[in-house]
């Protein structure tokens, strides 16, 4: 399959998901150019336009199926009327630890970045938070 056909197929699937669910997610990993300094840019689209809630972002280089599962939990809670805010702790998003959000600009729009704890429950607020979890407050380049 040619690259152009593959990209067109992905865009069509994304449009269908946006139409059916009201949101979709993208998972952008860095290339040899090191655009994200070892992090990633997983994010949603459609939540603000369709549900009046900022879209979400995660910057950890983890499996897209995991980020997709977390985004699905968040989106379903937004659809049910929950509003997530910067600075508050939230439970029942991941097992065993609370998470929080920080507002960032990404691609010229505001997003709520989900800040996940490391395996010891530490976040970038803690001096002993492990790599790469300790870098979740870094501003990513817009690409």
């Amino acid at each position: 399959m040619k690259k152009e056909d593959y990209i067109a197929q992905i865009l069509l699937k994304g449009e269908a998901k946006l139409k059916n669910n009201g949101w979709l997610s993208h998972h952008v990993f860095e290339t040899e150019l090191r655009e994200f300094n070892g992090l990633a840019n997983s994010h949603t689209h459609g939540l603000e336009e369709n549900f009046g809630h900022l879209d979400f972002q995660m910057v950890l280089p983890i499996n897209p199926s995991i980020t997709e599962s977390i985004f699905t939990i968040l989106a379903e809670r937004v659809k049910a009327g929950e509003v997530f805010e910067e600075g508050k702790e939230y439970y029942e998003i991941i097992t065993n630890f609370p998470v929080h959000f920080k507002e960032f600009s990404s691609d010229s729009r505001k997003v709520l970045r989900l800040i996940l704890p490391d395996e010891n429950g530490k976040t970038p607020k803690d001096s002993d938070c492990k790599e790469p979890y300790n870098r979740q407050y870094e501003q990513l380049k817009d690409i």
Side-chain angles (χ1 to χ4, degrees), residues 54 86 101-105 110-113:
L54 287 179
E86 179 178 53
F101 294 92
K102 182 151 179 57
E103 194 172 297
F104 277 86
S105 289
K110 289 183 180 180
V111 293
L112 276 179
R113 183 177 294 173

Side-chain angles (χ1 to χ4, degrees), residues 44-58:
T44 63
H45 290 277
L47 292 173
E48 187 163 24
E49 297 83 359
N50 295 312
F51 304 103
H53 193 287
L54 287 179
D55 279 293
F56 297 110
Q57 180 186 52
M58 293 174 61

Side-chain angles (χ1 to χ4, degrees), residues 11-72:
L11 291 174
L12 282 173
K13 285 181 183 177
E15 286 177 21
K17 184 171 182 183
L18 185 60
K19 183 178 179 182
N20 292 333
N21 298 331
W23 68 279
L24 61 85
S25 62
H26 290 136
H27 309 280
V28 184
F29 293 93
E30 68 181 7
T31 67
E32 65 277 353
L33 299 176
R34 305 261 314 146
E35 298 93 332
F36 305 134
N37 195 28
L39 297 174
N41 184 359
S42 296
H43 55 276
T44 63
H45 290 277
L47 292 173
E48 187 163 24
E49 297 83 359
N50 295 312
F51 304 103
H53 193 287
L54 287 179
D55 279 293
F56 297 110
Q57 180 186 52
M58 293 174 61
V59 298
L60 294 171
I62 56 180
N63 187 315
S65 65
I66 294 170
T67 56
E68 185 74 20
S69 295
I70 294 171
F71 286 152
T72 298

